[in-house]
Amino acid sequence: MPGSADPTSSSSTLSPAEIEAGRKLFAAPWQFLAAAGSLAAVPATTGMEIAFAGRSNVGKSSLINALTGRRMLARTSHTPGRTQELIFFANPANLVLVDLPGYGYASAPKAKIKSWTALAHGYLGSRAALARVYLLLDARHGLKPIDAPLLDALDRAAVSYQLVLTKADQVKPADYEAVIARVREGCARRPAAFPDIALTSTRTGHGIPELRAAIVRLMAQRSAVRPPT
Ligand code: GDP
């Protein structure tokens, strides 16, 4: 809920123990679990899922690779064939990262855009294991009209999502606050948007330990309310 106090908020201080737990969680070996080109091919749930979405070139593969410490885990936008699939990665702690296809290819045929939208929105709207979506935005550009359909789908599905500004190294630290304020303003009326906005850079590592720790906190909360079956 916008403005409500959420304990996973990055503004509520993450303790050194949480940062360390985040490091450990993500240092565990990650494995490719599945690639789903249709909703029918989405694998059975194996743990808490965190999905990453954003327009192509926003830095999504780089962020997943930085979080997991694996340089080549997530595909880059340049990997042909994989761009229309949901990719699932799992680690031994039953955390599953889901890489959604990047949207916003100017040259993509309409039919492809339609099938991507149906797949991504269908997954986002129907997955009980999905704990949070990280919606990535380039810190230099913030929210764009191209992001609206996904934001609308997340709001409709009432899936909790957090905006993550990528490529923070391309913005002067003195401008961070203004950039974040502008994005916050842009999603102020969106009911499922998490009130805090994260800022990351895979070049400098800015925000990466905090994002890992926030996911640890989310896992702890989920297991507190939903004991594992
Ligand atoms: P994707 O299409 O969203 O998966 O984006 P990629 O991870 O492939 O990155 C797109 C481009 O942005 C690449 O040229 C990356 O090197 C660059 N990039 C990714 N993360 C960062 C970052 O934190 N800072 C800067 N300056 N460039 C980045």
Side-chain angles (χ1 to χ4, degrees):
M1 287 293 160
S4 65
D6 183 319
T8 61
S9 156
S10 57
S11 67
S12 63
T13 319
L14 292 157
S15 67
E18 285 174 306
I19 296 281
E20 174 59 10
R23 188 193 66 73
K24 277 202 179 133
L25 174 65
F26 279 81
W30 286 93
Q31 278 192 337
F32 171 82
L33 188 66
S38 68
L39 282 177
V42 168
T45 298
T46 61
M48 185 184 95
E49 291 179 8
I50 300 281
F52 293 84
R55 67 180 305 176
S56 62
N57 219 39
V58 73
K60 186 159 53 65
S61 332
S62 304
L63 184 64
I64 293 173
N65 291 338
L67 284 169
T68 57
R70 292 268 305 268
R71 279 184 52 198
M72 301 296 286
L73 188 66
R75 64 188 160 193
T76 67
S77 336
H78 313 295
T79 312
R82 275 280 148 93
T83 53
Q84 298 299 315
E85 295 174 311
L86 309 177
I87 315 286
F88 294 76
F89 304 104
N91 89 354
N94 293 336
L95 175 62
V96 177
L97 302 185
V98 186
D99 185 3
L100 298 183
Y103 51 83
Y105 276 112
S107 60
K110 280 219 167 84
K112 277 224 151 162
I113 295 173
K114 218 173 152 187
S115 77
W116 175 85
T117 307
L119 175 59
H121 294 195
Y123 163 78
L124 294 172
S126 65
R127 192 72 163 172
L130 181 61
R132 175 167 298 159
V133 177
Y134 286 108
L135 176 49
L136 278 46
L137 306 171
D138 189 316
R140 293 168 296 186
H141 311 307
L143 278 166
K144 291 279 176 196
I146 194 91
D147 300 306
L150 186 59
L151 290 160
D152 291 344
L154 290 167
D155 283 329
R156 264 198 311 274
V159 175
S160 150
Y161 61 92
Q162 181 171 13
L163 300 178
V164 178
L165 302 179
T166 60
K167 310 189 188 182
D169 55 278
Q170 298 298 300
V171 174
K172 289 196 213 103
D175 294 338
Y176 284 174
E177 260 185 50
V179 165
I180 288 174
R182 202 168 54 235
V183 171
R184 182 170 286 131
E185 174 84 357
C187 66
R189 283 187 191 80
R190 293 195 171 272
F194 190 71
D196 266 315
I197 293 167
L199 191 67
T200 60
S201 165
T202 58
R203 295 254 167 104
T204 65
H206 185 103
I208 306 292
E210 290 78 8
L211 207 51
R212 292 184 188 128
I215 293 170
V216 167
R217 211 183 255 195
L218 192 56
M219 277 190 101
Q221 283 184 321
R222 291 269 290 200
S223 60
V225 284
R226 277 180 203 211
T229 49

